[in-house]
Amino acid sequence: MEQASFLDSKVNFETVFRTLPELYLLISPDLHVWAATDSYLQAINTPEEAVVGKPFFEAFTDSGLPWNRASLEQVRNALQTALQQKEPVTLNPIRFDIAQGQEMYWQAVNTPVCDKEGEVAYILHEARNITEQVQAEREARVSLESLELMSLTANGTLWDYDLQQDTITWSKSYKQLFGYTGQEPAYSAASWMHHVHPQDAAQIRRTFFQLLKEQKSDFCVEYRFKRADGTYADVLSHGYVFYSASGQPLRLIGSAADISLQKSHQRQLADISERFQRIATATNDVIWDWNLTDDTIWWNEGYKTLLSFAEDEAGTTDSAFWTERIHPDDRARVKASIHKAINGGQLAWQEEYRFRCADGSYKLIQDRGSIIRDSNGKPTRMIGAMHDITEKRQVEQQLRESSARITQILEAQPLMAWTATPEGTIDYYSSRWYEYTGADPATQDDWANYLHPDDRQRAWERWLHSIATGEAFSDENRWKSGKDGTYRWFLGKALPIRDSEGSITMWVGSHTDIEEQKQALLTLQESNDRFRLLAESIPHIVWSSTPDGRVDYFNQQWYDYTRMTQEETLGFGWSLTLHPDDLAATTEDWLASMENGLPYERELRLRNVETQEYRWFLARGLPIRNAEGELFKWFGTATDIHDQKLLQEQLLESERSFRFLTESIPQMVWTATPDGTTDYFNSRWISYTGLSLEESQGPDAWLKAMHPDDHQKARERWLLSVQSGDYYEIEYRIRNGSKGTYRWFLGQGIPMRDASGAIVKWFGTCTDIEDHKKAEEELVEKNLELERINQDLDSFVYTASHDLKLPVINMAGVFEELIRDAQFKDPEAPQLIEMFNKSLRQLHNTIYDLSEVVRVQKSRDRELKDLSLQGTTDDVLTSLQDMLHESGTVVHTDFSEAPLVAFTRAGLKSILYNLISNAIKYRAQDRPPEIRLRSGIKGNYVEVSVADNGLGIDMTRHQGKLFQMFKRFHSHVKGSGLGLYIVNRLLSSHGGHINIESTLNEGTTFYLYFKMKKS
């Protein structure tokens, strides 16, 4: 089929087709290009005759465009598929950088058009520029990944809504946050709206409609969201909208925080805060959380990214999963070390070992962990981080090898060469130094001792300047010869050697004898030779040029990087390596420096002609003048600063992410310098206090919003943390700028430290706790009311026991006289008399026990004395000797750790009497009764334990009723049920308390806590 015949059959084909705004090609079934729109030719910057009428792949491979073989093969397969299947074929996105240095992505759609017979007449090839979409998706992924960990620690979740596909992607914390353990989350706008409370749905729709209509980017909205159990959670959602260049909304990214939990669960917040603080102190690679109770280990995303494990291999594992992947030669040592730390009462652990990755390779790991223990010192959890130091150790080995090579090179140089630490301490001199100065290598004399007295101060100041700034050192000075004591002129130079992060690792320097130059005896050629020798020995690109700017020399570093030849470079050929965006400005600055004779300096990008890769360099040039002041030479360097530039960009991106996060959480967020000067507040602070950012910045500026009564304590507590570096926490009142009222807030701050432990920044928040404070005040009022009720109850018990005692005694006397004088003929009379006597005795015992309760209450204010536990126990055992002998009870005591307690004598005897007598009464019949009493120190208390092997108590039934009046746990033994009540009241009235552990048919242990007297 001929191109002309097709064109003839279409009216005004060229006019209509070529003016289409989209990028189209018309391709014949034999894959020749029939026509192209003007917009397509303009996009690829290629004339029509180079494309139209030619085979498709020949036209594009000969055009000089940056195609790669894989991309061409993908296009070829798509065209063939469209021809065979006669259906449109859409290619996956292809990176195709038409503009040099500009990252661009394209998506092609091949649509076959068939004739009446159903055969393909031609293919309409459309190229769509999707660069903005790809970059937006990439930025969204980066944002989601960087905020994922923060969302977990902030009790929230992240979401990503693709408007084009109507799909919502949630972070992993979604199901945990809302309780959806086995159900699918809301994956579309409709399913999401189904979870929103019906009363909030209309407002949500209006908010998002207005947001997209006005093309706003940031948004914040509150609504109620249905949990898995059917209840609704109050949710605060922050987000950001991404638009295309044409203003079309592409996607929404945001966070959702359950703020109902923040209001109602302070204990959970404290636990989350503890985990965050411990994780924050660990390294930031593979974070792990080991539950020592059930032997499960949680891993963060680093377990997949750093160690290459798949999704189903990470998450939560047991300890065997970890130990099995430790190198066999390290496994026993590491296991012994970590269990020694856990079982030995330690709080921290650290080891280095080799760990097997998913691909079978090993990484060298530095592992640190923090051990969390309960109040009894029992280890419950470990939280830590695995840091990959494989590359670090390799770099250290390379540095040692490099240092050895540098030493060999320096020894081979005809110079007095030396090296120094980053701090400027000389740690090596070449043999030529000792040969010239006559210094003793064993003494390591101060180098200034060999300098001419007139040169010492200047040389020392320049050397300190270089150490402080990292700039190259250069100075001409005179050095004393050890052979004849004469001085000769030397040119001293030193350059810093930097690692990949730009940090100085060492200094390399040399001293070149320039005595002849100073005396004008050396020729210019000799000077050039020395320059070339020095230039080839330093790790920078070095160049020189004539006064008119023609470069006549580059050192080997230039050729190694650019891969250009000397013929291609010299003169002005070097400019071909410049980035197009830097060419005009670089040329302009260079011409200006040559014209006015001033030093030249500029940051620019240079290209490797083989890889087409650009790197940033700092180019410097200095004019050299003769004795008459005439410029006769330019000398310069180009230092690779590419890594520093990338680091600057990362820092800017990190700052943007931090700002977004601080504006997304419901707290006031602030930062401060190491000396405590506040330098940042988020918008919540500004909107609440009414203070501008400038008014809030400064050492004490934030105190303007504090309640006057809180000024001093807030300032003193903050200065204490700033001076000590301790965690900052305080409660204070902050004024609402618009209302003039005050609300309680919890202020918290934590320092960020550098590798050396020095504080570089303070980060903090202010959390509204007004409702919590009001609840505390209500609790105090309730406690006062309960205390008044207890006092009334005690008065009633005292009155009842006192008023009933005499009538009962009189009743007993009357009944005894009646029995003695009267005769009873009823055969059941003896039984009735015994029942009456029994009831009378029980009534008498109850009145006695109530009197004892009143006595306990009345004795709370008596002075406490140091009492011997052994002596008091012996007195009680003497009074119980008949019960002990009859029951065969054996009593063991050990009060060696705490022989004394501060208590009232009667109270202590009453406690021990009740517990020991109960242990005898409620003994098991199938084993000899045994009672053990021990004492020890627990914090601010003396702990006394009373343990028996008796019947025990059913704790599941009686846990909440242990200390109630008249409460009994066994009915086969007589008793009033007041014993434990009296014991508890005696202890609590003097600041102590009691705990009970019991198992049915095994025994009971009572833990008595007596408050220690203050020194």
Side-chain angles (χ1 to χ4, degrees), residues 111 268 310 330 357 382 401 487 552 560 598 625 667 675 682 760 829 840 845 869-870 872 998 1015:
T111 304
Q268 292 183 6
D330 302 336
C357 301
M382 279 190 74
E401 295 172 357
Y487 286 91
D552 56 10
D560 290 343
L598 296 177
R625 303 179 185 276
Q667 286 96 349
D675 64 357
N682 69 346
V760 297
L840 205 58
N845 290 338
L869 284 169
Q870 187 64 58
T872 308
S998 185
S1015 302

Side-chain angles (χ1 to χ4, degrees), residues 796-852:
F796 169 76
V797 171
Y798 173 77
T799 301
S801 62
H802 183 273
D803 293 347
L804 290 176
K805 187 179 298 183
L806 184 59
V808 170
I809 293 175
N810 293 336
M811 186 185 299
V814 170
F815 189 68
E816 186 177 350
E817 287 294 327
L818 179 64
I819 295 173
R820 187 166 46 245
D821 298 336
Q823 294 184 355
F824 301 94
K825 297 180 180 180
D826 191 335
E828 296 182 355
Q831 183 178 358
L832 293 174
I833 292 171
E834 178 58 28
M835 291 174 59
F836 186 82
N837 279 329
K838 182 177 179 181
S839 299
L840 205 58
R841 286 194 299 273
Q842 289 178 346
L843 180 60
H844 181 271
N845 290 338
T846 300
I847 293 173
Y848 174 80
D849 288 338
L850 288 174
S851 299
E852 180 67 12

